[in-house]
Amino acid sequence: MPDTQTQPLDPVALHRDSVVFNALDCTPLAWADETYLGKLAASGVTAINHAVSVSQGYDAAAAALVGWQHRLAETDGRVFQAYGLDDVTRAKETGTVAWFAGFEDSKPVGEDLWRLAALHQLGLRFMGLTYQNRNYAADGSGESANGGLSRFGRSLVAECNRLGIALDLSHTGERSTLETIETSTKPVLVTHAGLTHFVDSPRNKSDLVVRELAARGGVFGLAAKSGFLTPDGLTRRPGAEVFADNIDYLVELAGIDHVIVGTDVGDERKYSREGMARVRRLYPEIPIVGADLDLERIHPEGLGTPADLPLITELLAGRGYSGEDIGKVLGGNLQRVLAEIWDSASGE
């Protein structure tokens, strides 16, 4: 639970001085302009796992990664592609942003494990096991069969462990999630999800998953999506305090050392009624937007753009969390786990 403060924290200074590592965000390359870069600067983020591919084949996913590399080269170092934790340190020291490439699905790997090494050489450092649907590795959280890891999936987990690719189970089904936690020799991540304790959706994670994840050293990041955080989030836009309510429960359930931030907000210009209608059609189990397609309710008040990360620090300080614990949530916990995943990897 939060600690009682003897001296009030200064959230602005705390956020500025902390290493802030957003475990998952996603903005299309089309919106990676000066406006977006300004939002990153305002967010105070030090490092970001950026999902460059949601659920694409190998060629399209690799092309998206390379496209982002070219865009980053145009930012004059303000945002640069990162490959390890030394880059996070460099970003903090220079006031820049360490950008890590991630995928939300292992679909680009197909059934050819050699592709993982190729993608790792391009800089892939985070990978979702599934994106809602079944793939060669496992069942996503949209599959009612709730199958577990396939034989190929177990090989894929082992290869990710060997290379040093952090596995993300945010969109993975319950059984597949639990089996991956058990199978992996390295801690695994849930970078952006909600809790079934608050919203009983297959897209969210059960208390059992959170406890098992923490018991094996993993970390859990909350998505800043209204429908993930509160039962009426699709019909009434909640205040930002609902995000802190979920954090409180996570801390009680898993402990402060296993909670991170993965907002999954992205540049707000990417949201459209047409796009959200498509998401509802393809993935009806994701509680992201109501039937009226009201885009304003997708995120809680004050958490609707990439620039809004400082509000999370303010919320936690207001709940009485210590500066040390807030630093863990903002970036310290994720860095600790990534050191275990990346630093001991054998690479190619």
Side-chain angles (χ1 to χ4, degrees), residues 15-314:
H15 194 87
R16 182 192 64 228
D17 295 339
S18 297
V19 171
V20 180
F21 200 141
N22 195 347
L24 191 285
D25 214 354
C26 180
T27 291
L29 188 56
W31 299 117
D33 53 16
E34 290 298 318
T35 299
Y36 173 67
L37 294 180
K39 293 169 187 173
L40 282 185
S43 75
V45 72
T46 311
I48 185 171
N49 164 29
H50 197 283
V52 299
S53 171
V54 175
S55 185
Q56 299 172 295
Y58 176 77
D59 290 346
L65 201 165
V66 173
W68 269 96
Q69 289 175 336
H70 282 282
R71 176 66 188 101
L72 295 179
E74 299 170 349
T75 68
D76 298 325
R78 287 173 291 166
V79 183
F80 64 92
Q81 185 172 5
Y83 299 90
L85 291 177
D86 287 348
D87 290 320
V88 178
T89 300
R90 174 161 68 95
K92 189 61 184 175
E93 291 173 347
T94 59
T96 54
V97 178
W99 179 99
F100 290 93
F103 292 168
E104 291 208 63
D105 193 353
S106 64
K107 183 177 178 179
V109 179
E111 53 183 334
D112 297 308
L113 282 180
W114 64 263
R115 291 175 172 172
L116 267 178
L119 293 166
H120 185 263
Q121 288 178 356
L122 281 175
L124 183 71
R125 292 296 181 268
F126 296 83
M127 187 176 71
L129 186 66
T130 60
Y131 188 87
Q132 297 304 111
N133 295 335
R134 177 180 296 139
N135 59 23
Y136 285 110
D139 270 12
S141 60
E143 298 287 353
S144 59
N146 192 29
L149 275 176
S150 68
R151 180 168 58 184
F152 174 79
R154 293 177 185 275
S155 297
L156 184 145
V157 170
E159 184 68 351
C160 285
N161 290 164
R162 184 185 74 83
L163 291 169
I165 296 174
L167 280 164
D168 181 3
L169 305 178
S170 298
H171 288 270
T172 300
E174 174 99 350
R175 181 179 169 191
S176 297
T177 294
L178 290 169
E179 290 184 358
T180 303
I181 292 169
E182 180 181 7
T183 299
S184 179
T185 60
K186 304 287 181 65
V188 295
L189 318 176
V190 171
T191 64
H192 62 296
L195 301 163
T196 58
H197 175 82
F198 292 99
V199 179
D200 189 12
S201 164
R203 176 62 179 84
N204 282 352
K205 300 300 183 185
S206 68
D207 286 8
L208 174 61
V209 163
V210 176
R211 287 195 298 265
E212 291 297 314
L213 183 80
R216 291 180 176 263
V219 285
F220 191 106
L222 281 172
K225 304 290 188 188
S226 301
F228 291 23
L229 300 173
T230 181
D232 61 355
L234 300 185
T235 57
R236 181 185 63 84
R237 189 182 193 189
E241 289 289 341
V242 72
F243 192 87
D245 293 340
N246 278 253
I247 289 280
D248 286 347
Y249 186 79
L250 263 178
V251 171
E252 182 179 349
L253 186 62
I256 193 68
D257 291 329
H258 301 281
V259 181
I260 60 175
V261 170
T263 58
D264 190 25
V265 172
D267 193 287
E268 66 275 20
R269 294 171 297 172
K270 75 177 186 177
Y271 297 98
S272 68
R273 290 176 62 86
E274 294 79 9
M276 289 298 98
R278 180 177 181 272
V279 170
R280 281 179 57 86
R281 183 176 71 253
L282 293 178
Y283 310 110
E285 70 281 357
I286 300 180
I288 191 170
V289 68
D292 60 0
L293 302 178
D294 187 329
L295 306 180
E296 292 296 317
R297 290 199 297 264
I298 291 177
H299 305 104
E301 292 180 18
L303 291 173
T305 89
D308 291 332
L309 276 174
L311 180 56
I312 294 174
T313 303
E314 182 180 334

